Every structure is written in structure tokens, then in C-alpha cells.
Amino acid sequence: GAGVSQSPRYKVTKRGQDVALRCDPISGHVSLYWYRQALGQGPEFLTYFNYEAQQDKSGLPNDRFSAERPEGSISTLTIQRTEQRDSAMYRCASSLVPPGPFATNEKLFFGSGTQLSVL
Amino acid sequence: AQKITQTQPGMFVQEKEAVTLDCTYDTSDQSYGLFWYKQPSSGEMIFLIYQGSYDEQNATEGRYSLNFQKARKSANLVISASQLGDSAMYFCAMREGSGEYGNKLVFGAGTILRVKS
């Protein structure tokens, strides 16, 4: 597609339910990132993939959060047993090449995000 | 420690005037990149400008320029001739070059800019 696509755009769920958020990156983009953004704050890094390999998951808050990208394209962020504090905008971003020591200029293209509300 | 600090929660500027949004960063890497993104009320994240740590000249993109002062570790965004459509949240971000697979983009808390007519 032309841009990074995320679905659903909005998700309302009850506390304790599991949710799965989907990200379809720009075609051909190698790297895929998940960020979480609270209202009025900057995006907070969650995890990152190169192709299908999860290279960094240091930002995942706890073991209720997981992500996968099995074929190196579409990614799913799963939150199990949701809690009210999980409510936020979840953003996916992709970049053409992996970042590295000589590729610090790789900018991220962001999707519109999934607004998650846990009641 | 904060990697990216944006000390101005909010700024006002008169239409057609220039405005500077502050950003300071913290890194021990020699190779790193600095970015500015714009987030209008619609929520999208729009890339504005990039500055590499080895770039000798300040980056410019149309009405946007980056005032890069490496010794002071600052990367301020300058918007010239402000327009009403510039009203948005602005984020400064940094990617460090260390690590086998590079590093994630780390964002500051943002500055809300309001352009007055």
C-alpha cells in the first residue's frame, strides 16, 4: 500500500480481554516498529523487527505484551488480559532499511494508529 | 536519564513570524541522527527534517531549518514565516548509531505550537 496501515482504528475492550492490533507496513520496508503514545506525550518505543526477527523488545512493559511478524511483512501486537492503564494510541512505523551505525538517517513512516480504550 | 529534552510545553507565534522550538539530547555516541516530526490535531506523524551528527551544515527543508550545535548537544527547529497550518505538536527524536542492529528512534515529550492570526 501507499502508507502504513493499522487496524482497527479504534478498539474498545473490557478489562481482562485480549486484543490484537494489526500493522501492514509500506511494501518493501524491512524494519517495523511499535510505539505507544499517551495523550500529550511523545511516542514511547515498544519493540522492533528486522524482517521477521524481533531485534529489540526492551520497551514492552510486561509479559502481557507480545508482538510477531511471522513473514516479515504484517505485524500483530497482542495485549493479553488488558488493564485500564493499557489505554493509549498504539502506533506502528516502518522504514526501508534497518538502522545501523551508518544508517542513522533512516526516518520512520508512521501509521494512523489504533486508539485502544480499556474500560 | 532523558535522551531527548524539549523544555517548552507550549509556544505561541504570530503568523508570518519565525519561531524556534528547542531540543537538547544526550548521547555518548559519535554517530547519531536527529529528527523532527510534526503531529497535527489529526494525529498523523509527519517527518519534517533530519540532521546527521557528521553533517557540517545545518539541515534545511523549505521553511524548516535545524540549528545544530553539537558541542551544546542541541538541535533546535526553526520555522520561518509561520502559517496557521503550522499549529501542531512537534517532536524531536534521536537515533543513536551504536549496537549491531542500530537503535530505535527515541522521542521527546513534544512542544505544542499555536500560530496566531
PDB file of all heavy atoms in Angstrom, chain A residues 14-50:
ATOM      1  N   LYS A  14     -13.109  -4.546  27.238  1.00  0.00           N
ATOM      2  CA  LYS A  14     -13.290  -4.614  28.683  1.00  0.00           C
ATOM      3  C   LYS A  14     -12.016  -5.133  29.336  1.00  0.00           C
ATOM      4  O   LYS A  14     -11.291  -5.973  28.760  1.00  0.00           O
ATOM      5  CB  LYS A  14     -14.469  -5.521  29.037  1.00  0.00           C
ATOM      6  CG  LYS A  14     -15.808  -4.954  28.635  1.00  0.00           C
ATOM      7  CD  LYS A  14     -16.941  -5.862  29.100  1.00  0.00           C
ATOM      8  CE  LYS A  14     -18.290  -5.280  28.735  1.00  0.00           C
ATOM      9  NZ  LYS A  14     -19.403  -6.167  29.161  1.00  0.00           N
ATOM     10  N   ARG A  15     -11.776  -4.674  30.516  1.00  0.00           N
ATOM     11  CA  ARG A  15     -10.617  -5.120  31.293  1.00  0.00           C
ATOM     12  C   ARG A  15     -10.599  -6.642  31.375  1.00  0.00           C
ATOM     13  O   ARG A  15     -11.630  -7.275  31.627  1.00  0.00           O
ATOM     14  CB  ARG A  15     -10.696  -4.497  32.678  1.00  0.00           C
ATOM     15  CG  ARG A  15      -9.543  -4.781  33.603  1.00  0.00           C
ATOM     16  CD  ARG A  15      -9.562  -3.779  34.750  1.00  0.00           C
ATOM     17  NE  ARG A  15     -10.882  -3.682  35.356  1.00  0.00           N
ATOM     18  CZ  ARG A  15     -11.256  -4.349  36.435  1.00  0.00           C
ATOM     19  NH1 ARG A  15     -10.396  -5.171  37.031  1.00  0.00           N
ATOM     20  NH2 ARG A  15     -12.461  -4.196  36.950  1.00  0.00           N
ATOM     21  N   GLY A  16      -9.422  -7.192  31.109  1.00  0.00           N
ATOM     22  CA  GLY A  16      -9.280  -8.646  31.175  1.00  0.00           C
ATOM     23  C   GLY A  16      -9.347  -9.336  29.826  1.00  0.00           C
ATOM     24  O   GLY A  16      -8.939 -10.507  29.713  1.00  0.00           O
ATOM     25  N   GLN A  17      -9.836  -8.652  28.816  1.00  0.00           N
ATOM     26  CA  GLN A  17      -9.905  -9.228  27.479  1.00  0.00           C
ATOM     27  C   GLN A  17      -8.566  -9.103  26.769  1.00  0.00           C
ATOM     28  O   GLN A  17      -7.745  -8.233  27.087  1.00  0.00           O
ATOM     29  CB  GLN A  17     -10.985  -8.513  26.660  1.00  0.00           C
ATOM     30  CG  GLN A  17     -12.385  -8.661  27.229  1.00  0.00           C
ATOM     31  CD  GLN A  17     -12.874 -10.077  27.110  1.00  0.00           C
ATOM     32  OE1 GLN A  17     -12.831 -10.696  26.042  1.00  0.00           O
ATOM     33  NE2 GLN A  17     -13.346 -10.635  28.221  1.00  0.00           N
ATOM     34  N   ASP A  18      -8.351  -9.976  25.802  1.00  0.00           N
ATOM     35  CA  ASP A  18      -7.156  -9.884  24.960  1.00  0.00           C
ATOM     36  C   ASP A  18      -7.484  -9.056  23.715  1.00  0.00           C
ATOM     37  O   ASP A  18      -8.610  -9.102  23.207  1.00  0.00           O
ATOM     38  CB  ASP A  18      -6.705 -11.277  24.509  1.00  0.00           C
ATOM     39  CG  ASP A  18      -6.315 -12.178  25.670  1.00  0.00           C
ATOM     40  OD1 ASP A  18      -6.205 -11.678  26.814  1.00  0.00           O
ATOM     41  OD2 ASP A  18      -6.120 -13.383  25.425  1.00  0.00           O
ATOM     42  N   VAL A  19      -6.505  -8.305  23.224  1.00  0.00           N
ATOM     43  CA  VAL A  19      -6.690  -7.552  21.987  1.00  0.00           C
ATOM     44  C   VAL A  19      -5.499  -7.805  21.059  1.00  0.00           C
ATOM     45  O   VAL A  19      -4.379  -8.050  21.520  1.00  0.00           O
ATOM     46  CB  VAL A  19      -6.835  -6.031  22.220  1.00  0.00           C
ATOM     47  CG1 VAL A  19      -8.093  -5.724  23.002  1.00  0.00           C
ATOM     48  CG2 VAL A  19      -5.608  -5.451  22.891  1.00  0.00           C
ATOM     49  N   ALA A  20      -5.771  -7.740  19.774  1.00  0.00           N
ATOM     50  CA  ALA A  20      -4.722  -7.886  18.753  1.00  0.00           C
ATOM     51  C   ALA A  20      -4.796  -6.699  17.820  1.00  0.00           C
ATOM     52  O   ALA A  20      -5.842  -6.424  17.231  1.00  0.00           O
ATOM     53  CB  ALA A  20      -4.905  -9.184  17.982  1.00  0.00           C
ATOM     54  N   LEU A  21      -3.699  -6.012  17.682  1.00  0.00           N
ATOM     55  CA  LEU A  21      -3.611  -4.828  16.837  1.00  0.00           C
ATOM     56  C   LEU A  21      -2.733  -5.171  15.634  1.00  0.00           C
ATOM     57  O   LEU A  21      -1.653  -5.735  15.784  1.00  0.00           O
ATOM     58  CB  LEU A  21      -2.998  -3.657  17.618  1.00  0.00           C
ATOM     59  CG  LEU A  21      -3.591  -3.401  19.007  1.00  0.00           C
ATOM     60  CD1 LEU A  21      -2.900  -2.215  19.663  1.00  0.00           C
ATOM     61  CD2 LEU A  21      -5.088  -3.220  18.955  1.00  0.00           C
ATOM     62  N   ARG A  22      -3.200  -4.749  14.474  1.00  0.00           N
ATOM     63  CA  ARG A  22      -2.529  -5.162  13.246  1.00  0.00           C
ATOM     64  C   ARG A  22      -1.833  -3.986  12.581  1.00  0.00           C
ATOM     65  O   ARG A  22      -2.335  -2.860  12.599  1.00  0.00           O
ATOM     66  CB  ARG A  22      -3.563  -5.760  12.299  1.00  0.00           C
ATOM     67  CG  ARG A  22      -3.055  -6.097  10.903  1.00  0.00           C
ATOM     68  CD  ARG A  22      -4.216  -6.469   9.996  1.00  0.00           C
ATOM     69  NE  ARG A  22      -3.846  -6.438   8.604  1.00  0.00           N
ATOM     70  CZ  ARG A  22      -3.796  -7.512   7.807  1.00  0.00           C
ATOM     71  NH1 ARG A  22      -4.090  -8.709   8.298  1.00  0.00           N
ATOM     72  NH2 ARG A  22      -3.470  -7.391   6.533  1.00  0.00           N
ATOM     73  N   CYS A  23      -0.694  -4.287  11.973  1.00  0.00           N
ATOM     74  CA  CYS A  23       0.055  -3.276  11.223  1.00  0.00           C
ATOM     75  C   CYS A  23       0.505  -3.863   9.900  1.00  0.00           C
ATOM     76  O   CYS A  23       1.134  -4.924   9.850  1.00  0.00           O
ATOM     77  CB  CYS A  23       1.277  -2.819  12.016  1.00  0.00           C
ATOM     78  SG  CYS A  23       2.371  -1.722  11.075  1.00  0.00           S
ATOM     79  N   ASP A  24       0.209  -3.138   8.832  1.00  0.00           N
ATOM     80  CA  ASP A  24       0.658  -3.514   7.488  1.00  0.00           C
ATOM     81  C   ASP A  24       1.620  -2.425   7.018  1.00  0.00           C
ATOM     82  O   ASP A  24       1.181  -1.314   6.688  1.00  0.00           O
ATOM     83  CB  ASP A  24      -0.546  -3.632   6.558  1.00  0.00           C
ATOM     84  CG  ASP A  24      -0.212  -4.311   5.251  1.00  0.00           C
ATOM     85  OD1 ASP A  24       0.987  -4.546   4.987  1.00  0.00           O
ATOM     86  OD2 ASP A  24      -1.136  -4.610   4.472  1.00  0.00           O
ATOM     87  N   PRO A  25       2.924  -2.713   6.995  1.00  0.00           N
ATOM     88  CA  PRO A  25       3.888  -1.654   6.676  1.00  0.00           C
ATOM     89  C   PRO A  25       3.901  -1.316   5.189  1.00  0.00           C
ATOM     90  O   PRO A  25       3.257  -1.981   4.378  1.00  0.00           O
ATOM     91  CB  PRO A  25       5.223  -2.274   7.097  1.00  0.00           C
ATOM     92  CG  PRO A  25       5.013  -3.745   6.879  1.00  0.00           C
ATOM     93  CD  PRO A  25       3.568  -4.000   7.236  1.00  0.00           C
ATOM     94  N   ILE A  26       4.641  -0.306   4.844  1.00  0.00           N
ATOM     95  CA  ILE A  26       4.826   0.046   3.442  1.00  0.00           C
ATOM     96  C   ILE A  26       5.539  -1.114   2.747  1.00  0.00           C
ATOM     97  O   ILE A  26       6.504  -1.687   3.298  1.00  0.00           O
ATOM     98  CB  ILE A  26       5.638   1.346   3.311  1.00  0.00           C
ATOM     99  CG1 ILE A  26       4.838   2.519   3.881  1.00  0.00           C
ATOM    100  CG2 ILE A  26       6.029   1.621   1.865  1.00  0.00           C
ATOM    101  CD1 ILE A  26       5.593   3.830   3.952  1.00  0.00           C
ATOM    102  N   SER A  27       5.061  -1.452   1.577  1.00  0.00           N
ATOM    103  CA  SER A  27       5.604  -2.584   0.840  1.00  0.00           C
ATOM    104  C   SER A  27       7.113  -2.428   0.634  1.00  0.00           C
ATOM    105  O   SER A  27       7.591  -1.380   0.191  1.00  0.00           O
ATOM    106  CB  SER A  27       4.912  -2.686  -0.524  1.00  0.00           C
ATOM    107  OG  SER A  27       5.447  -3.758  -1.274  1.00  0.00           O
ATOM    108  N   GLY A  28       7.838  -3.478   0.991  1.00  0.00           N
ATOM    109  CA  GLY A  28       9.286  -3.460   0.804  1.00  0.00           C
ATOM    110  C   GLY A  28      10.063  -2.923   1.989  1.00  0.00           C
ATOM    111  O   GLY A  28      11.296  -3.018   2.027  1.00  0.00           O
ATOM    112  N   HIS A  29       9.382  -2.371   2.959  1.00  0.00           N
ATOM    113  CA  HIS A  29      10.079  -1.858   4.137  1.00  0.00           C
ATOM    114  C   HIS A  29      10.529  -3.013   5.017  1.00  0.00           C
ATOM    115  O   HIS A  29       9.742  -3.876   5.385  1.00  0.00           O
ATOM    116  CB  HIS A  29       9.200  -0.885   4.914  1.00  0.00           C
ATOM    117  CG  HIS A  29       9.233   0.492   4.369  1.00  0.00           C
ATOM    118  ND1 HIS A  29       8.850   1.599   5.108  1.00  0.00           N
ATOM    119  CD2 HIS A  29       9.616   0.970   3.157  1.00  0.00           C
ATOM    120  CE1 HIS A  29       9.002   2.690   4.375  1.00  0.00           C
ATOM    121  NE2 HIS A  29       9.453   2.331   3.186  1.00  0.00           N
ATOM    122  N   VAL A  30      11.795  -2.961   5.375  1.00  0.00           N
ATOM    123  CA  VAL A  30      12.403  -4.048   6.116  1.00  0.00           C
ATOM    124  C   VAL A  30      12.105  -3.969   7.601  1.00  0.00           C
ATOM    125  O   VAL A  30      11.832  -4.970   8.254  1.00  0.00           O
ATOM    126  CB  VAL A  30      13.928  -4.033   5.878  1.00  0.00           C
ATOM    127  CG1 VAL A  30      14.656  -4.933   6.864  1.00  0.00           C
ATOM    128  CG2 VAL A  30      14.243  -4.433   4.444  1.00  0.00           C
ATOM    129  N   SER A  31      12.162  -2.773   8.132  1.00  0.00           N
ATOM    130  CA  SER A  31      12.043  -2.601   9.582  1.00  0.00           C
ATOM    131  C   SER A  31      10.647  -2.148   9.974  1.00  0.00           C
ATOM    132  O   SER A  31      10.029  -1.342   9.291  1.00  0.00           O
ATOM    133  CB  SER A  31      13.067  -1.571  10.069  1.00  0.00           C
ATOM    134  OG  SER A  31      14.372  -2.017   9.790  1.00  0.00           O
ATOM    135  N   LEU A  32      10.205  -2.679  11.088  1.00  0.00           N
ATOM    136  CA  LEU A  32       8.872  -2.344  11.595  1.00  0.00           C
ATOM    137  C   LEU A  32       8.973  -2.106  13.085  1.00  0.00           C
ATOM    138  O   LEU A  32       9.600  -2.878  13.812  1.00  0.00           O
ATOM    139  CB  LEU A  32       7.883  -3.488  11.294  1.00  0.00           C
ATOM    140  CG  LEU A  32       6.419  -3.261  11.657  1.00  0.00           C
ATOM    141  CD1 LEU A  32       5.511  -3.990  10.669  1.00  0.00           C
ATOM    142  CD2 LEU A  32       6.107  -3.657  13.069  1.00  0.00           C
ATOM    143  N   TYR A  33       8.349  -1.032  13.532  1.00  0.00           N
ATOM    144  CA  TYR A  33       8.410  -0.609  14.926  1.00  0.00           C
ATOM    145  C   TYR A  33       6.998  -0.487  15.499  1.00  0.00           C
ATOM    146  O   TYR A  33       6.075  -0.084  14.804  1.00  0.00           O
ATOM    147  CB  TYR A  33       9.064   0.773  15.049  1.00  0.00           C
ATOM    148  CG  TYR A  33      10.470   0.881  14.534  1.00  0.00           C
ATOM    149  CD1 TYR A  33      10.746   0.885  13.180  1.00  0.00           C
ATOM    150  CD2 TYR A  33      11.537   1.001  15.429  1.00  0.00           C
ATOM    151  CE1 TYR A  33      12.037   1.002  12.713  1.00  0.00           C
ATOM    152  CE2 TYR A  33      12.842   1.122  14.970  1.00  0.00           C
ATOM    153  CZ  TYR A  33      13.081   1.124  13.612  1.00  0.00           C
ATOM    154  OH  TYR A  33      14.376   1.242  13.156  1.00  0.00           O
ATOM    155  N   TRP A  34       6.890  -0.763  16.775  1.00  0.00           N
ATOM    156  CA  TRP A  34       5.678  -0.466  17.516  1.00  0.00           C
ATOM    157  C   TRP A  34       5.996   0.574  18.586  1.00  0.00           C
ATOM    158  O   TRP A  34       7.000   0.442  19.318  1.00  0.00           O
ATOM    159  CB  TRP A  34       5.106  -1.709  18.177  1.00  0.00           C
ATOM    160  CG  TRP A  34       4.370  -2.629  17.252  1.00  0.00           C
ATOM    161  CD1 TRP A  34       4.839  -3.772  16.665  1.00  0.00           C
ATOM    162  CD2 TRP A  34       3.011  -2.494  16.817  1.00  0.00           C
ATOM    163  NE1 TRP A  34       3.865  -4.351  15.888  1.00  0.00           N
ATOM    164  CE2 TRP A  34       2.735  -3.587  15.962  1.00  0.00           C
ATOM    165  CE3 TRP A  34       2.002  -1.564  17.062  1.00  0.00           C
ATOM    166  CZ2 TRP A  34       1.482  -3.777  15.357  1.00  0.00           C
ATOM    167  CZ3 TRP A  34       0.773  -1.754  16.459  1.00  0.00           C
ATOM    168  CH2 TRP A  34       0.520  -2.842  15.613  1.00  0.00           C
ATOM    169  N   TYR A  35       5.134   1.593  18.658  1.00  0.00           N
ATOM    170  CA  TYR A  35       5.243   2.626  19.670  1.00  0.00           C
ATOM    171  C   TYR A  35       3.896   2.765  20.375  1.00  0.00           C
ATOM    172  O   TYR A  35       2.848   2.443  19.814  1.00  0.00           O
ATOM    173  CB  TYR A  35       5.597   3.987  19.040  1.00  0.00           C
ATOM    174  CG  TYR A  35       7.049   4.155  18.665  1.00  0.00           C
ATOM    175  CD1 TYR A  35       7.537   3.661  17.462  1.00  0.00           C
ATOM    176  CD2 TYR A  35       7.935   4.815  19.509  1.00  0.00           C
ATOM    177  CE1 TYR A  35       8.870   3.818  17.110  1.00  0.00           C
ATOM    178  CE2 TYR A  35       9.274   4.979  19.167  1.00  0.00           C
ATOM    179  CZ  TYR A  35       9.727   4.472  17.973  1.00  0.00           C
ATOM    180  OH  TYR A  35      11.057   4.635  17.631  1.00  0.00           O
ATOM    181  N   ARG A  36       3.952   3.291  21.586  1.00  0.00           N
ATOM    182  CA  ARG A  36       2.730   3.615  22.331  1.00  0.00           C
ATOM    183  C   ARG A  36       2.800   5.104  22.659  1.00  0.00           C
ATOM    184  O   ARG A  36       3.851   5.601  23.080  1.00  0.00           O
ATOM    185  CB  ARG A  36       2.645   2.778  23.600  1.00  0.00           C
ATOM    186  CG  ARG A  36       1.424   3.077  24.449  1.00  0.00           C
ATOM    187  CD  ARG A  36       1.265   2.051  25.552  1.00  0.00           C
ATOM    188  NE  ARG A  36       2.310   2.116  26.566  1.00  0.00           N
ATOM    189  CZ  ARG A  36       2.314   1.359  27.662  1.00  0.00           C
ATOM    190  NH1 ARG A  36       1.342   0.491  27.859  1.00  0.00           N
ATOM    191  NH2 ARG A  36       3.282   1.470  28.537  1.00  0.00           N
ATOM    192  N   GLN A  37       1.681   5.792  22.477  1.00  0.00           N
ATOM    193  CA  GLN A  37       1.673   7.230  22.721  1.00  0.00           C
ATOM    194  C   GLN A  37       0.506   7.589  23.625  1.00  0.00           C
ATOM    195  O   GLN A  37      -0.656   7.420  23.234  1.00  0.00           O
ATOM    196  CB  GLN A  37       1.595   8.012  21.407  1.00  0.00           C
ATOM    197  CG  GLN A  37       1.726   9.509  21.578  1.00  0.00           C
ATOM    198  CD  GLN A  37       1.772  10.260  20.262  1.00  0.00           C
ATOM    199  OE1 GLN A  37       1.430   9.727  19.206  1.00  0.00           O
ATOM    200  NE2 GLN A  37       2.201  11.521  20.312  1.00  0.00           N
ATOM    201  N   ALA A  38       0.823   8.100  24.801  1.00  0.00           N
ATOM    202  CA  ALA A  38      -0.215   8.610  25.695  1.00  0.00           C
ATOM    203  C   ALA A  38      -0.571  10.025  25.260  1.00  0.00           C
ATOM    204  O   ALA A  38       0.218  10.712  24.595  1.00  0.00           O
ATOM    205  CB  ALA A  38       0.294   8.614  27.134  1.00  0.00           C
ATOM    206  N   LEU A  39      -1.742  10.466  25.609  1.00  0.00           N
ATOM    207  CA  LEU A  39      -2.237  11.775  25.201  1.00  0.00           C
ATOM    208  C   LEU A  39      -1.289  12.873  25.670  1.00  0.00           C
ATOM    209  O   LEU A  39      -0.919  12.931  26.845  1.00  0.00           O
ATOM    210  CB  LEU A  39      -3.635  11.992  25.780  1.00  0.00           C
ATOM    211  CG  LEU A  39      -4.407  13.192  25.256  1.00  0.00           C
ATOM    212  CD1 LEU A  39      -4.667  13.038  23.761  1.00  0.00           C
ATOM    213  CD2 LEU A  39      -5.726  13.362  26.003  1.00  0.00           C
ATOM    214  N   GLY A  40      -0.862  13.715  24.737  1.00  0.00           N
ATOM    215  CA  GLY A  40       0.008  14.829  25.083  1.00  0.00           C
ATOM    216  C   GLY A  40       1.458  14.466  25.311  1.00  0.00           C
ATOM    217  O   GLY A  40       2.243  15.300  25.763  1.00  0.00           O
ATOM    218  N   GLN A  41       1.816  13.228  25.007  1.00  0.00           N
ATOM    219  CA  GLN A  41       3.190  12.764  25.207  1.00  0.00           C
ATOM    220  C   GLN A  41       3.792  12.317  23.876  1.00  0.00           C
ATOM    221  O   GLN A  41       3.082  12.121  22.884  1.00  0.00           O
ATOM    222  CB  GLN A  41       3.220  11.600  26.195  1.00  0.00           C
ATOM    223  CG  GLN A  41       2.742  11.963  27.585  1.00  0.00           C
ATOM    224  CD  GLN A  41       3.636  12.968  28.253  1.00  0.00           C
ATOM    225  OE1 GLN A  41       4.864  12.855  28.219  1.00  0.00           O
ATOM    226  NE2 GLN A  41       3.042  13.985  28.847  1.00  0.00           N
ATOM    227  N   GLY A  42       5.115  12.118  23.895  1.00  0.00           N
ATOM    228  CA  GLY A  42       5.780  11.608  22.711  1.00  0.00           C
ATOM    229  C   GLY A  42       5.639  10.106  22.612  1.00  0.00           C
ATOM    230  O   GLY A  42       5.353   9.423  23.601  1.00  0.00           O
ATOM    231  N   PRO A  43       5.807   9.559  21.413  1.00  0.00           N
ATOM    232  CA  PRO A  43       5.738   8.107  21.254  1.00  0.00           C
ATOM    233  C   PRO A  43       6.814   7.410  22.086  1.00  0.00           C
ATOM    234  O   PRO A  43       7.950   7.855  22.146  1.00  0.00           O
ATOM    235  CB  PRO A  43       5.990   7.911  19.757  1.00  0.00           C
ATOM    236  CG  PRO A  43       5.623   9.215  19.126  1.00  0.00           C
ATOM    237  CD  PRO A  43       6.005  10.248  20.133  1.00  0.00           C
ATOM    238  N   GLU A  44       6.409   6.302  22.683  1.00  0.00           N
ATOM    239  CA  GLU A  44       7.301   5.509  23.534  1.00  0.00           C
ATOM    240  C   GLU A  44       7.563   4.183  22.833  1.00  0.00           C
ATOM    241  O   GLU A  44       6.631   3.464  22.475  1.00  0.00           O
ATOM    242  CB  GLU A  44       6.623   5.293  24.884  1.00  0.00           C
ATOM    243  CG  GLU A  44       7.320   4.335  25.818  1.00  0.00           C
ATOM    244  CD  GLU A  44       6.426   3.925  26.971  1.00  0.00           C
ATOM    245  OE1 GLU A  44       5.188   4.065  26.866  1.00  0.00           O
ATOM    246  OE2 GLU A  44       6.969   3.445  27.980  1.00  0.00           O
ATOM    247  N   PHE A  45       8.825   3.851  22.639  1.00  0.00           N
ATOM    248  CA  PHE A  45       9.199   2.641  21.923  1.00  0.00           C
ATOM    249  C   PHE A  45       8.750   1.376  22.650  1.00  0.00           C
ATOM    250  O   PHE A  45       8.896   1.262  23.872  1.00  0.00           O
ATOM    251  CB  PHE A  45      10.719   2.604  21.756  1.00  0.00           C
ATOM    252  CG  PHE A  45      11.254   1.318  21.205  1.00  0.00           C
ATOM    253  CD1 PHE A  45      11.210   1.050  19.838  1.00  0.00           C
ATOM    254  CD2 PHE A  45      11.811   0.360  22.049  1.00  0.00           C
ATOM    255  CE1 PHE A  45      11.715  -0.139  19.336  1.00  0.00           C
ATOM    256  CE2 PHE A  45      12.327  -0.828  21.548  1.00  0.00           C
ATOM    257  CZ  PHE A  45      12.272  -1.073  20.190  1.00  0.00           C
ATOM    258  N   LEU A  46       8.208   0.431  21.889  1.00  0.00           N
ATOM    259  CA  LEU A  46       7.819  -0.864  22.445  1.00  0.00           C
ATOM    260  C   LEU A  46       8.735  -1.971  21.936  1.00  0.00           C
ATOM    261  O   LEU A  46       9.388  -2.664  22.703  1.00  0.00           O
ATOM    262  CB  LEU A  46       6.371  -1.181  22.095  1.00  0.00           C
ATOM    263  CG  LEU A  46       5.299  -0.272  22.695  1.00  0.00           C
ATOM    264  CD1 LEU A  46       3.921  -0.672  22.192  1.00  0.00           C
ATOM    265  CD2 LEU A  46       5.352  -0.291  24.212  1.00  0.00           C
ATOM    266  N   THR A  47       8.746  -2.150  20.610  1.00  0.00           N
ATOM    267  CA  THR A  47       9.509  -3.242  20.031  1.00  0.00           C
ATOM    268  C   THR A  47       9.799  -2.967  18.565  1.00  0.00           C
ATOM    269  O   THR A  47       9.202  -2.072  17.974  1.00  0.00           O
ATOM    270  CB  THR A  47       8.774  -4.583  20.201  1.00  0.00           C
ATOM    271  OG1 THR A  47       9.598  -5.663  19.753  1.00  0.00           O
ATOM    272  CG2 THR A  47       7.474  -4.593  19.397  1.00  0.00           C
ATOM    273  N   TYR A  48      10.700  -3.760  17.988  1.00  0.00           N
ATOM    274  CA  TYR A  48      11.160  -3.502  16.637  1.00  0.00           C
ATOM    275  C   TYR A  48      11.570  -4.807  15.963  1.00  0.00           C
ATOM    276  O   TYR A  48      12.133  -5.697  16.609  1.00  0.00           O
ATOM    277  CB  TYR A  48      12.294  -2.483  16.740  1.00  0.00           C
ATOM    278  CG  TYR A  48      13.464  -2.617  15.814  1.00  0.00           C
ATOM    279  CD1 TYR A  48      13.325  -2.442  14.446  1.00  0.00           C
ATOM    280  CD2 TYR A  48      14.732  -2.860  16.326  1.00  0.00           C
ATOM    281  CE1 TYR A  48      14.416  -2.535  13.616  1.00  0.00           C
ATOM    282  CE2 TYR A  48      15.828  -2.949  15.493  1.00  0.00           C
ATOM    283  CZ  TYR A  48      15.663  -2.777  14.140  1.00  0.00           C
ATOM    284  OH  TYR A  48      16.745  -2.860  13.317  1.00  0.00           O
ATOM    285  N   PHE A  49      11.263  -4.905  14.668  1.00  0.00           N
ATOM    286  CA  PHE A  49      11.586  -6.073  13.855  1.00  0.00           C
ATOM    287  C   PHE A  49      12.438  -5.675  12.658  1.00  0.00           C
ATOM    288  O   PHE A  49      12.229  -4.627  12.044  1.00  0.00           O
ATOM    289  CB  PHE A  49      10.299  -6.712  13.292  1.00  0.00           C
ATOM    290  CG  PHE A  49       9.407  -7.336  14.321  1.00  0.00           C
ATOM    291  CD1 PHE A  49       8.507  -6.567  15.037  1.00  0.00           C
ATOM    292  CD2 PHE A  49       9.456  -8.700  14.563  1.00  0.00           C
ATOM    293  CE1 PHE A  49       7.671  -7.139  15.980  1.00  0.00           C
ATOM    294  CE2 PHE A  49       8.621  -9.285  15.501  1.00  0.00           C
ATOM    295  CZ  PHE A  49       7.723  -8.504  16.209  1.00  0.00           C
ATOM    296  N   ASN A  50      13.376  -6.538  12.331  1.00  0.00           N
ATOM    297  CA  ASN A  50      14.025  -6.527  11.017  1.00  0.00           C
ATOM    298  C   ASN A  50      13.543  -7.771  10.297  1.00  0.00           C
ATOM    299  O   ASN A  50      13.777  -8.885  10.772  1.00  0.00           O
ATOM    300  CB  ASN A  50      15.556  -6.593  11.138  1.00  0.00           C
ATOM    301  CG  ASN A  50      16.192  -5.255  11.133  1.00  0.00           C
ATOM    302  OD1 ASN A  50      15.545  -4.251  10.935  1.00  0.00           O
ATOM    303  ND2 ASN A  50      17.491  -5.230  11.366  1.00  0.00           N
TER     304      ASN A  50
END
